[in-house]
């Protein structure tokens, strides 16, 4: 075969290409082409995917035929110029050419604001060396596109300048750039194919390029079936011959197979904001832009057969593949004169001596020697040193930024000794070599979490230290998800918003990556309806398409040489940020180094707690210095007392704690990992708990799942599973299982691992199903176990959780539990000062602290600061709890107070010089009690106190306000105070709203939560309370609602059927009464299985008649499930729109 | 998106205005949402205000959903205030409108009572004092602050020195209180009804001559045009009414395709209209009133004449279209409008010329290129047979059409036009039809055809061939 399609776009030509890169490659292989050239519009974002796809195909071929298929992938970019120059597809011939291409693209990207790329012909001439250029006859530039991306509109005068400068001798006159004209003509006129034809532009571009780069320029011609293909071909051949440029046959392919034409039409409509019915000739007249077999191409180009063979010649010219991108680590962290490995070892030995003295323990020594060998062998020294460098910087600040590493390589002795983590891997038998296997030629993985409020400082340090040309943030590819896809496809098909809205409302959360059939039924539509069937077909195809690139939360790529010679760089939406075009998976696939600089709210909280303890003489601590294995902490956790504790504070985790009974550090790692989709979907939780109990209580020997005797030793899995009692819980256990039990080759396992990591993106994991289950069953494992293992892997696919992550997190669980257990006041204050973070609202955190014996004091102008703080062992609430209060008001107030306490509101206003709004907020927060004003009188007074004091009065230190008769305001009842407290500070120390309604509820026979929790299993009960959280986790079979009253909280579970019958009440109620049955588990976890819900919100009005409770008003659908993704900072914001009570936190 | 208003059924489900639509849908998944049209609401309110003209001439709007009627001296025909209120309530209830009403000494009091009163009171003053402070309609912050101060009713406020209130809530709050209490005048601003553009002439003696009547119409048109010019508008629809002394009214209406202020044009259109009538205007015993209404007017800027004289072609065409449409009927005069589609037979539309927007530009044929589309299209395309051609996409080499055999001498193609897959035609395979390959053909005798093969060979086994058009 001698044909290859060299002008092929993937769906990384956003909303133009209609096939994934891997489908393009797959189809070219299936057609038996000699190769393929992937070139997307002004980007190389998709080429890595194509590269990886080809590698996988070759691996499959090797398995089937024993050798690679002769096929060559060349990668480049289709340059679309803003000055009307015809499109030019560029393929670098060498590594150097690649560097020039990426620099050229970077130039265009940086010129436009975020998202655009503005290139001119002159730019190409500057960079075009060591490249193959395929000039296409016409320009596909679309001025709207740049406009949308908010880039500057390409200057038409300027483009004319460029052309005139380029060809001064041949074309002295002014050539109007087509862009200026195009913008003004109507769409109908724009469609006329005259552009780029006959104005001599193509001839000039060819002439100029063939002179500049003789032998490297082609004219690409496609047969579009537009009615005069042969004449066009003849004309273009004439032009090419005159310029002495060979003609290349292409399809200008936008999709792999003809079946994708509808999809292509849809993406065109989405791009143009039209419907298919209205788009008219914005769509292609036919579906010819797919990859075609060679015979077909030969028939189409029978007038010019050599155009087919040129593709082979181009392939042979190109030596570059993405494997040539040799990565070099930045050299900064190593002092001159040192070899990186020596320097690393030097640093490690230094700290090892400090820590252990001259006698380093044998186990540590052995582990270190092994790690050093591996690091030397794989040349990772620079990587460890770079991470160390970043961490060292964060620690060197005053106050230091708290940080902790996690990830496979983070749990090495080297990292422990370098201070990157505080977890001693020797203690937990974490073998570094197990994570970084020798055959995997990939860089190690260390994510470093920093305090969320101060991460930016670290990021700016990295830019400073390595320079913007060498440091860039990785991209995150946003994909089409179920909701966005249905909405946009529905719009393009011309369905009404009501229909799509109804469909998308069946998807809880925006991250669902599939649109199952039953969703249509749920929304009341039948798939037999052709419109719906069509919608579904297209939605299925469009799902998982890349939508746009954005910056990753914190993955930095650092290089020794110019980064823009490896990958193009874009401007990010945020000022001062730049990001590269490749995402995490691409970077992994190419073996570039990435340092993840992530933000973690709990670290902020812990740092603030440590600081507070130092200030108040409660000890000087850091992560590593917390006393280990304190039984009091485990006692606390075993009771499910974990509100505020990192990772284990959610309802599901609280319920799991008493069942798991954590008694040692490693149990915490399991606790963190077990309430995750992987173990849950693999149904591993119950077996694990059972085995654990058996082992603990009766010391029954663990029976490992075993193959048939013929196939191997019965304890072949012991090595893999002994730490978790024979049940796989962690991601790497599942991987080892595939190798040991299903006999995956290490290469297979590697592919499985990659498929797992990118499951959400590409959905390749299904290929492994038969292989894994079949493999295990054939070797005599029980089918049920095999299926569960596979299910678990699928579950991991979305949110994989390896042991090393779990252990790093476990440390934070331990430290935060320690704080909660021994310093509850400090812990609560630090949590409040680090909001927003975590799972609970301030009211619950404060309530929990009070239940643990912490005295909590109200906000007061004579005692509080901005932050919540300790006051002789008690917790004094700070001004930051007041909604809308500003920090500089608090600072001014504290400054003015330094001289002496305030004695009147007017005096405070004058001394602190606060605006009227600040005074009113303080009064409304009831913060004037120390100067004998309750909320009502303070407000009455504050409203007439002018905020800004007139200078004359200030100078005379005189009272500005005259005396006034007593207004004789009625006294404010306590219930109204409580309601007002909730409105202003979202918590009240004076009481709970339910207290005031208790009488009425008791008469009706409604129990308090304390009473309900004391009921026996199976008893009927009615409870009522304020709704804290509504959740619909996982598959949505059950809805969990947490109710709170003055005696505590009670968890209610509604099965989906009951939920549907009571939907309105459950979704609407702020104050809910539930009738149901008490269900108590063995460990004493209590749920009320709701049979009926009653919306009692109206009762809240009785707290204060003047505040009419309106329906809750914050947005629904906060997130699909509690955030499983470990690589993001805590999300979700606090509802500011407060009526009488803060809105519940709903996770749909 | 928030809920702007909801029907009683929705309210019964616990939905209420100002709720997020997403929240509402979470509660009631099969909710039907209709986009809020404040403008339409306003028009509706205006229409109700018009209707209330039957009770009193002084009706003021209280948008978005209130009307204030000054019924001083208007109540006796209905039997008193209360009876009047009941009558309004009943009348509007017949149209499905729920009315809350109240009477008050001042417009502010009536307004507050109708909107905020919750329980009956012995007299108006007591009722007003019982109103919640929300009835003052201060901003949210002030209303909350009054509540926090424990002042919950208008009476609570009125009982305290107003200086105290002024110091805290400003003079505007005090004005509000005084107005509601009736201590301060608040003028009612009756609705200003934009008078329709109208000109009329009454005659002492009935006019019996049609010619003279038309002359008067011309004068009236002149007056109306002046008024239009002042408003910067032009009329699109004119209605003339001739009131005969015997009580009969003759009505004539004309429309123009573009807004116009040209008296001559209007008059000519009226004449055309009269000429086209079966029975021209019969004055009978004479007209005693002639009236000209401009029923529809649209903005029209001043037009500029050409310096070199002569008419603007566009205007001329528009005038011609108006004349023809008036004479022949709107539907009879049509013009071709290009449509943006690849399907040849749908590429143009015939629309009533008076309605068609400014004609869009037709795609320009390329200079030096033969035309892509024929000058004549057959509808439906005409089948041909005995076609000899190459697979898969060769042109016909020979074919028979209308019993004549044609030998192809030259050809170009194919131009491939794929079906519009999103149109689901019954019967055809689900892709919305078959792909067509079009060829431009010249036979040995020099005749040029536009021929297509209906279907690719991998779509159907035996694709049919058709002549779709003829080139000149």
């Amino acid at each position: 075969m001698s044909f290859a399609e060299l002008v092929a776009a993937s769906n990384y030509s956003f909303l133009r290409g209609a096939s994934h890169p891997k489908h393009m490659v797959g189809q070219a292989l299936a057609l038996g082409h000699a190769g393929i050239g992937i070139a997307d519009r002004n980007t190389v974002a998709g080429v890595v995917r194509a590269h990886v796809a080809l590698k996988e195909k070759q691996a499959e071929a090797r398995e089937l035929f024993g050798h690679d298929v002769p096929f060559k992938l060349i990668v480049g970019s289709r340059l679309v110029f803003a000055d009307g120059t015809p499109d030019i597809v560029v393929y670098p011939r060498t590594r150097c050419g690649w560097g020039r291409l990426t620099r050229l693209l970077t130039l265009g990207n940086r010129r436009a604001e975020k998202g655009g790329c503005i290139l001119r012909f002159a730019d190409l001439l500057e960079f075009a060396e060591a490249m193959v250029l395929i000039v296409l006859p016409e320009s596909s530039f679309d001025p709207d596109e740049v406009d949308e991306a908010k880039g500057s509109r390409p200057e038409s005068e300027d483009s004319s300048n460029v052309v005139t400068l380029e060809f001064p001798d041949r074309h002295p006159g002014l050539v109007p750039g087509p862009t200026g004209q195009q913008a003004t003509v109507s769409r109908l006129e724009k469609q006329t194919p005259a552009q780029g034809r006959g104005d001599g532009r193509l001839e000039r571009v060819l002439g100029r390029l063939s002179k500049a780069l003789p032998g490297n320029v082609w004219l690409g011609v496609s047969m579009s079936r537009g009615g005069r293909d042969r004449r066009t071909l003849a004309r273009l051949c004439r032009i090419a011959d005159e310029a002495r440029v060979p003609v290349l046959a292409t399809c200008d392919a936008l999709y792999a197979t003809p079946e994708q034409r509808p999809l292509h039409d849809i993406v065109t409509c989405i791009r143009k904001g039209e419907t298919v019915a209205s788009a008219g000739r914005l769509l292609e007249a036919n579906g010819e832009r797919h990859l075609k077999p060679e015979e077909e191409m030969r028939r189409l180009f029978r007038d010019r057969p050599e155009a087919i063979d040129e593709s082979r010649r181009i392939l042979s010219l190109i030596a570059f593949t993405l494997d040539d991108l040799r990565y070099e680590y930045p050299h900064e962290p190593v002092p001159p004169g040192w070899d990186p490995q020596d320097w690393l070892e030097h640093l490690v030995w230094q700290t090892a001596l400090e820590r252990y003295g001259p006698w380093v323990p044998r186990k540590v020594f052995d582990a270190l020697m092994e790690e050093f060998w591996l690091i030397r062998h794989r040349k990772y020294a620079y990587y460890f040193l770079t991470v160390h460098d970043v961490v060292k910087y964060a620690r060197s600040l005053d106050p230091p930024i708290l940080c902790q590493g996690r990830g496979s390589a983070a749990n090495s002795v080297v990292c422990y000794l370098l201070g990157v983590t505080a977890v001693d891997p020797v203690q937990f038998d974490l073998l570094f070599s197990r994570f970084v296997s020798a055959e995997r030629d990939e860089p190690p993985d260390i994510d470093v979490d920093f305090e969320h409020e101060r991460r930016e400082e670290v990021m700016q340090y990295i830019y400073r230290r390595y320079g913007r040309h060498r440091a860039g943030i990785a991209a995150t590819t946003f994909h089409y998800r179920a909701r966005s896809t249905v909405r946009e496809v529905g719009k393009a098909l011309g369905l009404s918003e009501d229909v799509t809205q109804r469909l998308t409302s069946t998807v809880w959360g925006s991250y669902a990556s599939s649109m199952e059939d039953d969703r249509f039924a749920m929304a009341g539509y039948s798939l037999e309806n052709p419109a719906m069937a069509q919608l579904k077909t297209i939605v299925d195809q469009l799902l998982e398409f890349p939508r746009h690139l954005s910056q990753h939360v914190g993955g930095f790529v650092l290089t020794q040489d110019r980064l823009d010679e490896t990958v193009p760089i874009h401007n990010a939406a945020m000022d001062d940020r730049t990001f590269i075009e490749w995402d995490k998976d691409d970077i992994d696939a190419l073996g570039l180094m990435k340092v993840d600089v992530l933000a973690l709210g709990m670290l902020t909280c812990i740092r603030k707690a440590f600081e507070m303890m130092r200030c108040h003489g409660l000890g000087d601590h850091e992560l590593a210095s917390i006393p280990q294995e304190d039984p009091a902490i485990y006692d606390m956790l075993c009771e499910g007392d974990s509100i505020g504790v990192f990772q284990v504070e959610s309802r599901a985790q609280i319920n799991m704690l008493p069942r798991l009974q954590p008694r040692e550090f490693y149990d915490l790692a399991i606790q963190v990992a077990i309430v995750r989709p992987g173990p849950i979907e693999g149904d591993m939780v119950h077996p694990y708990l059972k085995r654990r109990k058996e082992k603990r209580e009766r010391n029954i020997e663990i029976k490992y799942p075993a193959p048939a005797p013929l196939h191997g030793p019965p304890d072949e899995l012991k090595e893999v599973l002994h730490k978790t009692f024979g049940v796989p819980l962690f991601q790497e256990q599942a991987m080892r299982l595939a190798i040991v039990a299903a006999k995956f080759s290490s290469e297979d396992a590697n592919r499985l691992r990659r498929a797992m990591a990118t499951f959400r993106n590409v959905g390749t994991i299904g290929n492994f199903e038969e292989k894994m289950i079949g493999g295990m069953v054939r070797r005599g494992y029980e089918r049920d176990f095999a299926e569960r293992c596979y299910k678990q892997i699928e579950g991991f696919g979305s949110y994989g959780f390896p042991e090393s992550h779990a252990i790093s997190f476990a440390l934070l669980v331990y430290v935060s539990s320690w704080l909660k257990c021994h310093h509850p006041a400090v812990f609560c204050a630090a949590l409040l000062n680090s909001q927003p973070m975590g799972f609970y609202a301030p009211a619950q955190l404060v309530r929990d602290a009070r239940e643990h014996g912490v005295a909590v004091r109200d906000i007061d102008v004579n005692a509080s600061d901005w932050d919540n703080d300790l006051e002789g062992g008690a917790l004094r609430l700070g001004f930051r709890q007041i909604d809308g209060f500003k920090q500089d008001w608090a600072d001014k107030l504290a400054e003015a107070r330094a001289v002496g306490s305030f004695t009147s509101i007017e005096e405070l206003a004058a001394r602190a010089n606060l605006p009227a709004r600040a005074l009113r907020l303080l009064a409304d927060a009831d913060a004037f009690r120390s100067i004998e004003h309750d909320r009502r009188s303070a407000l009455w007074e504050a409203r007439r106190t002018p905020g800004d004091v007139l200078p004359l009065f200030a100078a005379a230190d005189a009272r500005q306000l005259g005396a006034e008769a007593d207004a004789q305001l009625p006294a404010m009842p306590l219930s109204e105070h409580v309601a007002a407290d909730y409105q202003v500070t979202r918590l009240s120390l004076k009481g709970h709203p339910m207290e005031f309604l208790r009488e009425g509820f008791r008469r009706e026979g409604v129990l308090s939560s304390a009473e309900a929790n004391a009921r026996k299993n199976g008893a009927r009960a009615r409870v009522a309370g304020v709704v804290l959280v509504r959740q619909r986790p996982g598959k949505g079979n059950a809805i969990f609602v947490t109710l709170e009253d003055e005696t505590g909280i009670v968890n209610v579970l509604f099965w989906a059927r009951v939920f549907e019958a009571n939907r309105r009440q459950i979704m609407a109620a702020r104050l809910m009464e539930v009738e149901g049955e008490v269900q108590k588990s063995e460990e004493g976890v209590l749920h009320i299985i709701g049979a009926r819900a009653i919306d009692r919100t109206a009762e809240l009005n009785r707290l204060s008649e003047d505040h009419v409770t309106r329906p809750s008003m914050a947005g629904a659908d906060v997130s699909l499930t509690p955030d499983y993704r470990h690589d993001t900072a805590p999300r979700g914001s606090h509802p500011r729109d407060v009526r009488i009570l803060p809105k519940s936190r709903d996770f749909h | 998106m928030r809920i702007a208003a909801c029907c009683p059924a929705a309210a019964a489900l616990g939905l209420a205005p100002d709720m997020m639509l997403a929240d509402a849908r979470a509660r009631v998944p099969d909710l039907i949402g209709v986009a809020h049209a404040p403008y339409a609401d306003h028009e509706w309110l205006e229409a109700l205000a018009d209707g209330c003209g039957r009770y009193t001439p002084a009706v003021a709007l209280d948008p978005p959903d209130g009307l204030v009627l000054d019924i001083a001296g208007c109540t006796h025909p209905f039997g008193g205030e209360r009876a009047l209120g009941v009558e309004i309530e009943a009348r509007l209830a017949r149209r499905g409108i729920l009315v809350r009403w109240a009477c008050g000494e001042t417009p502010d009091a009536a307004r507050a009572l109708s909107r905020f009163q919750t329980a009956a009171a012995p007299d108006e003053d007591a009722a007003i004092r019982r109103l919640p402070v929300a009835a003052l309609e201060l901003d949210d912050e002030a209303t909350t602050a009054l509540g926090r101060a424990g002042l919950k009713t208008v009476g609570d406020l009125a009982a305290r020195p107003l200086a105290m209130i002024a110091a805290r809530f400003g003079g505007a709050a005090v004005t509000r209180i005084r107005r509601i209490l009736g201590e301060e005048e608040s003028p009612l601003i009756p609705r200003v009804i934009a008078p329709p553009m109208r000109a009329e002439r009454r005659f002492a003696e009935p006019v019996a001559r049609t010619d003279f009547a038309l002359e008067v119409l011309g004068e009236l048109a002149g007056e109306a045009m002046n008024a239009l010019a002042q408003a910067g508008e032009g009329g699109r629809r004119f209605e003339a009414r001739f009131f005969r002394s015997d009580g009969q009214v003759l009505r004539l209406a004309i429309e123009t395709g573009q807004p116009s202020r040209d008296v001559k044009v209007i008059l000519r259109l009226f004449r055309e209209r009269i000429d086209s009538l079966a029975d021209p205007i019969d004055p009978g015993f004479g007209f005693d009133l002639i009236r000209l209404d401009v029923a529809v007017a649209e903005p029209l800027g001043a037009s500029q004449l050409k310096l070199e004289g002569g008419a603007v072609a566009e205007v001329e065409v528009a005038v011609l279209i108006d004349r023809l449409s008036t004479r022949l009927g709107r539907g009879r005069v049509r013009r071709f409008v290009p449509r943006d589609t690849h399907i040849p037979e749908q590429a143009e539309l015939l629309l009533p010329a008076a309605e068609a927007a400014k004609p869009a530009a037709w795609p320009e044929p390329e200079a030096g290129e033969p035309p892509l589309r024929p000058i004549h299209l057959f509808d439906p395309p005409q089948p041909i047979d005995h076609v000899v051609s190459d697979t898969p996409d060769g042109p016909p080499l020979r074919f028979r059409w209308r019993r004549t055999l044609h030998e192809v001498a030259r050809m170009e193609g194919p131009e491939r036009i794929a079906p519009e897959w999103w149109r689901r035609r019954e019967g055809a395979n689900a892709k919305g039809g078959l792909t067509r390959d079009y060829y431009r053909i010249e036979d040995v005798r020099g005749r040029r055809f536009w021929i297509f093969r209906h279907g690719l060979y991998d779509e159907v086994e035996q694709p049919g061939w058709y002549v779709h058009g003829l080139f000149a």
Side-chain angles (χ1 to χ4, degrees), chain A residues 225 924 936 940 983 1063, chain B residues 26 148 168 340 393 412:
Chain A
R225 315 264 84 181
D924 219 5
R936 179 158 288 172
W940 195 245
Q983 276 182 316
R1063 184 183 190 108
Chain B
R148 287 277 159 78
R168 288 169 177 85
D340 193 15
D393 60 359
E412 184 159 59

Side-chain angles (χ1 to χ4, degrees), chain A residues 187 225 228 231 261 265 280 283 285-286 288 299 501 534 924 936 940 964-965 967-968 983 1063 1114, chain B residues 13 20 23 25-26 147-149 152 160 164 168-169 340 342 366 369 393 412 416 418-419 421 424:
Chain A
R187 207 170 85 201
R225 315 264 84 181
R228 44 188 175 196
R231 221 143 31 89
R261 171 179 167 242
D265 287 347
L283 307 177
N286 51 45
E288 295 296 305
R299 194 176 61 75
Q501 170 79 43
Q534 203 167 52
D924 219 5
R936 179 158 288 172
W940 195 245
E964 195 182 48
Q968 294 186 325
Q983 276 182 316
R1063 184 183 190 108
Chain B
L13 290 173
M20 296 285 293
D23 273 356
R25 279 226 162 86
R148 287 277 159 78
K152 309 204 168 174
R160 289 180 168 75
M164 261 182 193
R168 288 169 177 85
F169 300 96
D340 193 15
H342 290 291
E366 242 173 284
E369 285 280 327
D393 60 359
E412 184 159 59
R416 184 161 295 174
W421 52 267
R424 291 170 300 273

